[in-house]
Amino acid sequence: MVLDDLGSSLRGTLDDLRGKSRISEDDVESVVTEIQRSLLAADVDVSLVMELSDSIETRALEEEPPAGTPARDFVLRIVYEELVDLIGESTELPLEEQTILLAGLQGSGKTTSAAKMAWWFSTKGLKPAVIQTDTFRPGAYDQAKQMTERAEVEFYGNPDAEDPVEIARNGLEETAHADVHIVDTAGRHALEDDLIAEIEEIEGVVEPDTSLLVLDAAIGQGAKDQAREFHDSIGIDGVVITKLDGTAKGGGALAAVDQTDSSIAFLGTGEEVDDIERFEPEGFISRLLGMGDLGQLAERVERAMEQTDIEEDDWDPEDMLQGNFTLNDMQKQLEAMNNMGPLSQVLDMIPGMGGGLKDQLPDDAMDVTEERMRTFQVIMDSMTDAEKEYPRAIGASQIERIARGSGTSEESVRELLQQYKMMEKTIKQFQGMGSEKEMQRMMQQMQGGGGGGMGGMGGGPFG
């Protein structure tokens, strides 16, 4: 993820402050040095790096920490607040009728982002339409059509037309009933005069409410010049950062935001149409520093439950807290977890689970865990309804049959049954917690382990 190295190295440096009640100049210098090193390695502009590090150093040495606040938590809060200030607010995108124009170089991910954004707006109850105006890149029309079909949103394009401005005009007319129009434009391998002229003409026709610059997270210092030219041409209101699921550095995108005096609108986190997040600075930085993002987690849980194949009267998660926990329940849970996206991303959103804990795991730990979950699904698909309803009655002969039918090993079947027993035990603990007050107390304990306020779902981890 963007700036992930910063989060990892900072966590290590801040851990050295554990147990200290006062912070020394040497401690502050260590933190600032790590910030400078990580940000520069991530291609963040030097001037931004120095501005940020100077602010953190000044505040850490001059401000008086609140009484009883450990040095680590005091510095962590300053770093959090300054990073949020550096990245800025999220681009304003009201949930109402609007037209959005996407700009960017070829390969930045505009066409994919257009479909993802349309999908996102559709989940908010709006009717979006994507208008594809790219007549320069072969296959642009087909890609846009396929992506919008997967997103189940309206699409307009004309593979036989040669004038992108005319396509934009006709597209607005043909999709006039849509609430949100997302206009995808052509890119080039470099900023060329004909690209700028074309996008200026399209902008004059569609009269967008918002113009977004789409940037590949892997872009480096060249982002500044690119952002400046697009901004001078059509005015950039926000940035969409794509391909954050890889090892991209992402610092160039921050330079683009600074150069255009704009903000970040969306983050693209994968290849599927639902792999997109509305950018929220507090949650993003909180995740980066290993403090979780309960707001984004809640949104993913809600989406996963909607996508999970559940008939209305067939299964209700709350039933688990009232009666027996079965393998049917466990199977639905795994299906919902799978719909939440990559496990590494989900862990980042859970206070105390991402960040430092993930740093201690082997590089392939997440892949192994996800493979194990897929194996469990296959095994449960090979069980009878009675076996899933009464798993404790499964004996050796049944284990042998299930393993043979699922193409797995008997050891894997036993591992599933052991996992089921552990989950059943956890569910029974929840069943014993009668009052809402008791549940809230437990959640506070889960979130507050580090002593520094891992907080709620609103304005960041510090409340």
Side-chain angles (χ1 to χ4, degrees):
M1 178 180 284
V2 60
L3 304 181
D4 193 46
D5 185 49
L6 170 63
S8 179
S9 59
L10 261 182
R11 286 189 293 269
T13 305
L14 290 169
D15 281 345
D16 292 339
L17 300 178
R18 286 189 185 277
K20 293 188 177 183
S21 57
R22 305 292 297 179
I23 185 168
S24 67
E25 289 189 23
D26 289 342
D27 293 329
V28 174
E29 184 178 350
S30 296
V31 172
V32 169
T33 299
E34 278 301 327
I35 291 172
Q36 292 174 342
R37 183 194 66 78
S38 299
L39 291 178
L40 290 172
D43 282 333
V44 178
D45 188 68
V46 174
S47 61
L48 288 178
V49 174
M50 298 312 297
E51 181 182 337
L52 174 70
S53 56
D54 286 347
S55 295
I56 291 174
E57 184 173 12
T58 300
R59 288 187 60 186
L61 291 176
E62 294 182 1
E63 291 184 10
E64 192 67 26
T69 302
R72 178 185 181 276
D73 293 350
F74 174 59
V75 175
L76 180 62
R77 179 169 188 152
I78 291 174
V79 171
Y80 168 82
E81 291 174 350
E82 291 297 329
L83 282 171
V84 169
D85 187 59
L86 169 70
I87 290 180
E89 294 300 316
S90 179
T91 308
E92 185 176 353
L93 289 172
L95 297 178
E96 58 189 35
E97 291 188 8
Q98 60 188 297
T99 299
I100 300 172
L101 180 68
L102 299 186
L105 295 186
Q106 188 169 318
S108 61
K110 290 190 306 300
T111 300
T112 302
S113 295
K116 288 181 175 183
M117 288 170 55
W119 172 86
W120 184 86
F121 277 110
S122 73
T123 66
K124 305 302 177 183
L126 296 171
K127 295 180 180 178
V130 173
I131 301 172
Q132 171 57 254
T133 69
D134 188 351
T135 60
F136 179 79
R137 178 171 64 91
Y141 171 87
D142 292 333
Q143 181 193 3
K145 190 171 187 299
Q146 291 170 6
M147 288 294 296
T148 51
E149 285 175 352
R150 285 161 57 187
E152 299 181 345
V153 297
E154 188 172 359
F155 169 72
Y156 178 85
N158 188 342
D160 300 320
E162 297 181 357
D163 182 2
V165 179
E166 190 64 27
I167 295 175
R169 183 181 292 110
N170 293 339
L172 289 176
E173 293 175 357
E174 292 293 325
T175 61
H177 54 279
D179 299 318
V180 180
H181 294 92
I182 301 173
V183 183
D184 182 21
T185 63
R188 301 288 191 277
H189 291 299
L191 273 167
E192 301 164 357
D193 291 340
D194 58 339
L195 170 61
I196 294 297
E198 179 180 301
I199 200 169
E200 286 177 349
E201 282 191 73
I202 294 174
E203 193 248 357
V205 169
V206 304
E207 298 181 338
D209 299 288
T210 305
S211 294
L212 299 179
L213 176 63
V214 181
L215 290 174
D216 186 329
I219 193 168
Q221 297 291 337
K224 179 184 283 191
D225 294 335
Q226 185 184 139
R228 185 190 302 117
E229 292 201 41
F230 274 114
H231 187 58
D232 292 344
S233 175
I234 61 172
I236 296 299
D237 301 301
V239 173
V240 179
I241 306 178
T242 64
K243 307 175 186 177
L244 280 172
D245 51 323
T247 57
K249 298 178 179 179
L254 297 184
V257 170
D258 181 68
Q259 188 65 37
T260 58
D261 194 26
S262 61
S263 51
I264 301 174
F266 288 99
L267 303 176
T269 58
E271 298 179 358
E272 300 300 321
V273 291
D274 58 354
D275 288 332
I276 186 169
E277 294 179 12
R278 185 76 167 92
F279 178 71
E280 298 296 342
E282 291 89 355
F284 178 75
I285 295 301
S286 179
R287 227 184 305 170
L288 182 74
L289 297 176
M291 297 184 292
D293 181 359
L294 290 177
Q296 188 60 231
L297 179 64
E299 187 171 319
R300 287 212 182 193
V301 169
E302 183 178 354
R303 184 203 311 169
M305 294 308 297
E306 290 174 354
Q307 293 175 346
T308 302
D309 183 22
I310 302 170
E311 296 182 12
E312 191 167 334
D313 298 324
D314 182 32
W315 184 75
D316 185 342
E318 293 186 8
D319 289 345
M320 293 186 299
L321 299 179
Q322 309 301 325
N324 293 324
F325 176 70
T326 70
L327 277 174
N328 281 316
D329 298 319
M330 182 172 173
Q331 189 169 24
K332 292 299 183 184
Q333 280 191 331
L334 291 178
E335 186 179 342
M337 287 180 65
N338 185 57
N339 286 333
M340 287 176 67
L343 190 57
S344 59
Q345 292 181 13
V346 175
L347 280 181
D348 276 336
M349 298 173 193
I350 303 174
M353 292 296 290
L357 179 62
K358 272 179 55 185
D359 294 342
Q360 300 170 28
L361 298 176
D363 293 338
D364 63 346
M366 293 299 104
D367 295 333
V368 171
T369 302
E370 289 179 336
E371 178 62 35
R372 190 162 166 251
M373 288 170 60
R374 284 191 289 270
T375 300
F376 285 173
Q377 287 277 25
V378 171
I379 292 172
M380 286 186 284
D381 285 341
S382 297
M383 291 180 174
T384 65
D385 290 340
E387 287 168 341
K388 285 191 282 190
E389 196 65 28
Y390 306 102
R392 287 190 173 275
I394 296 176
S397 61
Q398 291 163 297
I399 289 175
E400 182 182 357
R401 192 206 81 245
I402 293 168
R404 189 168 58 249
S406 62
T408 60
S409 65
E410 293 182 32
E411 181 183 359
S412 295
V413 178
R414 290 191 180 92
E415 187 179 2
L416 165 64
L417 295 175
Q418 183 62 33
Q419 185 69 40
Y420 158 76
K421 290 177 182 178
M422 292 171 59
M423 292 180 69
E424 182 187 37
K425 182 178 180 181
T426 302
I427 293 295
K428 284 183 176 179
Q429 290 177 341
F430 275 94
Q431 290 173 354
M433 308 189 68
S435 68
E436 182 179 345
K437 189 174 182 180
E438 182 70 11
M439 287 286 286
Q440 289 176 346
R441 183 188 64 78
M442 188 191 73
M443 288 300 294
Q444 287 171 355
Q445 286 180 343
M446 289 172 62
Q447 295 171 22
M454 295 293 183
M457 298 170 62
F462 298 100

